[in-house]
Amino acid sequence: MQQTALGMKKLLAAAGLFLLAAMPAHADRESNPIAEFTGIDKITGRIISFDVYIDETVQFGALQVTPRVCYSRTPDEEPKTDTFVEVDEITLDRKIRRIFTGWMFAESPGLNAIEHPVYDVWLKGCKRKSDVPPPKDS
């Protein structure tokens, strides 16, 4: 009986080591200063890409988009790009209403895209540089 229990423990330990070896190494994520979004105005059909610096707000139609972080992986890793973003809507009576707070994933744009009656917004990627000048410090 003891030999069976000992054999079972060895088998479980070997299986655990095998599973650990088979799992891909955890890649570090890189923090980027810019999130790149794509938006569509459903009324006009206009599609536009726009860059937003982290912790800055850009207005797209009646929406205000504010990314808080934008993570990506190194080029030799499997692509995984995500951002934590807050999106507010400016209502017709000029009030600001939060319509989304959460993560967006570039590889799965439909998962957490902003679906508004007039505008859709989704994450396209993260960037280190942009043609858009950085915001001025206050």
Side-chain angles (χ1 to χ4, degrees), residues 25-71:
H26 175 68
D28 290 331
R29 53 188 184 177
E30 294 181 352
S31 186
N32 297 279
I34 303 158
E36 182 181 14
F37 294 94
T38 300
I40 183 168
D41 180 326
K42 297 178 198 177
I43 305 285
T44 65
R46 190 176 95 185
I47 298 173
I48 192 168
S49 289
F50 54 97
D51 295 346
V52 186
Y53 285 84
I54 300 305
D55 292 328
E56 295 298 321
T57 301
V58 168
Q59 189 160 338
F60 174 69
L63 303 181
Q64 293 181 333
V65 180
T66 309
R68 297 300 180 187
V69 295
C70 198
Y71 295 125

Side-chain angles (χ1 to χ4, degrees), residues 19-30 71-74 76-78 80 82:
L19 288 174
L20 283 174
M23 291 174 51
H26 175 68
D28 290 331
R29 53 188 184 177
E30 294 181 352
Y71 295 125
S72 62
R73 301 276 174 96
T74 58
D76 59 324
E77 296 288 334
E78 177 184 348
K80 288 190 178 168
D82 50 38

Side-chain angles (χ1 to χ4, degrees), residues 36 80-83 104-110 122-126:
E36 182 181 14
K80 288 190 178 168
T81 307
D82 50 38
T83 186
M104 287 186 178
F105 307 95
E107 289 74 29
S108 301
W122 60 93
L123 177 65
K124 186 174 178 184
C126 296

